Amino acid sequence: MITVTVDLGQRAYPIHIGPALIDRTDLFEPHVRGKTVAIVTNETVEPLYAARLEATLAPLGKTIIRIVLPDGEAHKNWETLNRIFDRLLAERADRKTTLIALGGGVIGDMTGFAAASYMRGIPFIQVPTTLLAQVDSSVGGKTGINHPLGKNMIGAFYQPQAVIADSAVLRSLPPRELAAGIAEVIKTAAIADHAFFSWVESNIEALSNYDQAALAVAVRRSCEVKAKVVGEDEREGGIRAILNFGHTFGHAIEAGLGYGEWLHGEAVGCGMVMAADLSARLGLLSEASRERIVNVTRGAKLPVRAPALGEERYIDLMRVDKKAEGGEIKFILLKKIGEAVITGVPEAELRATLAASI
Ligand SMILES: NC(=O)c1ccc[n+]([C@@H]2O[C@H](COP(=O)([O-])OP(=O)(O)OC[C@H]3O[C@@H](n4cnc5c(N)ncnc54)[C@H](O)[C@@H]3O)[C@@H](O)[C@H]2O)c1
Ligand SMILES: O=C(O)C(=O)C[C@@H](O)[C@H](O)[C@H](O)COP(=O)(O)O
Ligand SMILES: [Zn+2]
């Protein structure tokens, strides 16, 4: 097992990474408060891992509740969030109840938001079970739900007590979901670490083939980079926005097609290709580097052509992006592989990228 620390100044929390961590009572014990623990999961993950997690928690002598939600991005909304609150209230869950998010990013984001708002804040632990959640969403405290008009529009910054990432659970992940997780690995490397990007290029087959050693490197390095960025700028006042590379286009794709049509990671993969195109068009990124982004994304079996929503629709959807200021859309672009910039762009170049990508 290795442990990466997220150091927020006032407080810090661990990200434990390794095989069979779901079975380690000693890792959960320091973070489980109160008399009740609620495991929040979904109908796909529950039959795979909930009983094991309950067996791990049993020696702690807590009352354990299972809250099982419908599966999928289309359910990351108010209605599903309310099901968590309804159940917590029905069970008389008090302020010391600990929530455990057992699942991918959808479960993690919703459980975190429920924890942030139930009785104005209760503790929660992230147990990410997808690659995407292990490399990205379980770390850093962005929690929330989607709105039909925009992705993750309602939410809170609220940090977990700990992240416990069991690498063995990735074996049951469908290939399409694995690829979606690789998209966020590519993103992390592209914005912050050229050597890591080169490593991803060389190991893209191994990652796609569930090679445990390669996945361990990807999870560890991605968490190290994310922990550092979040430690510098927890609430996205500045530098944290680089973690949004590919997301301005990607979120427009997700909302425009309807949530769940494309996976988040697929939309981000295509969004990175579009952002690299825009970076090259503006003379920031070399053509050779742009091609490396396209090739590694394609190598991960992610889409590189954008869905035909129409130029105006893309622009409309991107105007509600959380990074927009006074109606001006802000993009995360690349100066080179391993270095990102946050900037507005001339409309003509943006339209040229959209025309070339669709
Ligand atoms: N908070 C953040 O910083 C952050 C970062 C990135 C993404 N996100 C959010 O995360 C979400 C995407 O997360 P995701 O890609 O994990 O999707 P997801 O949560 O929908 O999980 C993907 C699928 O895999 C299934 N699954 C989960 N673990 C499994 C396992 N071990 N074996 C078999 N099946 C398993 C799930 O039931 C689901 O069908 C999006 O809503 C995105 O906005 C948040
Ligand atoms: O942690 C962050 O910061 C990120 O931007 C990580 C992204 O991968 C993630 O998809 C995040 O939820 C996007 O945040 P949003 O603020 O653009 O909704
Ligand atoms: Zn993302």
Side-chain angles (χ1 to χ4, degrees):
M1 179 182 91
I2 65 122
T3 300
V4 175
T5 301
V6 183
D7 185 351
L8 301 164
Q10 308 274 41
R11 67 168 281 244
Y13 63 88
I15 309 166
H16 300 302
I17 304 162
L21 300 193
I22 231 175
D23 304 315
R24 292 269 304 265
T25 307
D26 61 313
L27 296 182
F28 286 89
E29 186 170 18
H31 308 291
V32 174
R33 317 253 172 89
K35 293 200 172 78
T36 306
V37 182
I39 298 172
V40 185
T41 186
N42 72 26
E43 54 207 13
T44 305
V45 177
E46 188 218 24
L48 295 171
Y49 302 113
R52 257 175 75 191
L53 180 55
E54 278 187 14
T56 301
L57 299 170
L60 304 179
K62 312 285 181 186
T63 301
I64 301 173
I65 304 168
R66 266 190 213 184
I67 303 178
V68 184
L69 303 175
D71 186 3
E73 187 75 37
H75 298 285
K76 188 176 158 183
N77 57 26
W78 272 120
E79 197 190 354
T80 315
L81 183 72
N82 252 324
R83 285 174 61 163
I84 306 179
F85 296 136
D86 287 348
R87 187 69 194 287
L88 291 174
L89 287 163
E91 300 281 351
R92 304 269 186 274
D94 65 19
R95 264 201 163 145
K96 292 213 166 118
T97 299
T98 300
L99 302 189
I100 301 184
L102 175 68
V106 169
I107 286 294
D109 282 13
M110 280 197 296
T111 306
F113 190 31
S117 42
Y118 185 74
M119 293 194 177
R120 301 201 185 92
I122 58 174
F124 86 113
I125 299 170
Q126 290 271 19
V127 181
T129 63
T130 61
L131 179 63
L132 185 141
Q134 295 195 355
V135 299
D136 192 349
S137 66
S138 62
V139 176
K142 274 193 181 177
T143 73
I145 54 171
N146 300 326
H147 185 281
L149 296 180
K151 178 82 182 154
N152 300 330
M153 280 298 156
I154 323 290
F157 287 99
Y158 194 70
Q159 302 292 341
Q161 300 300 311
V163 179
I164 300 175
D166 184 332
S167 30
V169 305
L170 300 180
R171 291 201 176 98
S172 56
L173 207 56
R176 193 177 161 200
E177 300 294 349
L178 189 78
I182 296 172
E184 300 279 21
V185 176
I186 295 170
K187 172 201 80 178
T188 306
I191 56 170
D193 186 342
H194 182 270
F196 183 38
F197 189 89
S198 301
W199 179 90
V200 174
E201 287 177 319
S202 310
N203 287 275
I204 201 75
E205 286 287 314
L207 291 168
S208 300
N209 289 329
Y210 296 80
D211 181 290
Q212 292 293 298
L215 289 171
V217 172
V219 174
R220 177 192 187 146
R221 186 66 194 133
S222 301
C223 286
E224 284 170 351
V225 170
K226 186 156 185 186
K228 182 167 181 292
V229 173
V230 169
E232 282 169 23
D233 177 22
E234 184 183 356
R235 299 175 72 91
E236 204 173 303
I239 186 73
R240 182 168 180 166
I242 65 172
L243 296 170
N244 239 243
F245 175 54
H247 285 64
T248 316
F249 292 111
H251 283 171
I253 293 171
E254 287 188 82
L257 287 177
Y259 299 115
E261 199 57 42
W262 277 27
L263 302 179
H264 175 71
E266 293 171 338
V268 168
C270 184
M272 289 191 291
V273 167
M274 295 167 87
D277 179 283
L278 188 51
S279 308
R281 242 169 242 288
L282 292 167
L284 290 167
L285 188 69
S286 70
E287 178 54 22
S289 297
R290 187 196 67 79
E291 274 177 25
R292 286 175 75 185
I293 300 278
V294 177
N295 289 338
V296 76
T297 305
R298 198 179 271 127
K301 300 180 187 70
L302 291 159
V304 296
R305 278 222 83 73
L309 299 174
E311 239 173 84
E312 298 313 318
R313 179 99 170 101
Y314 269 103
I315 290 173
D316 264 11
L317 286 161
M318 289 192 292
R319 279 198 208 288
V320 299
D321 185 83
K322 289 183 278 320
K323 299 183 299 302
E325 281 175 25
E328 189 196 15
I329 311 168
K330 289 271 162 46
F331 288 85
I332 312 307
L333 301 181
L334 295 183
K335 275 168 98 171
K336 56 185 182 187
I337 288 176
E339 192 179 336
V341 281
I342 308 163
T343 179
V345 303
E347 192 170 324
E349 274 77 8
L350 173 57
R351 285 184 181 277
T353 286
L354 288 170
S357 307
I358 295 170

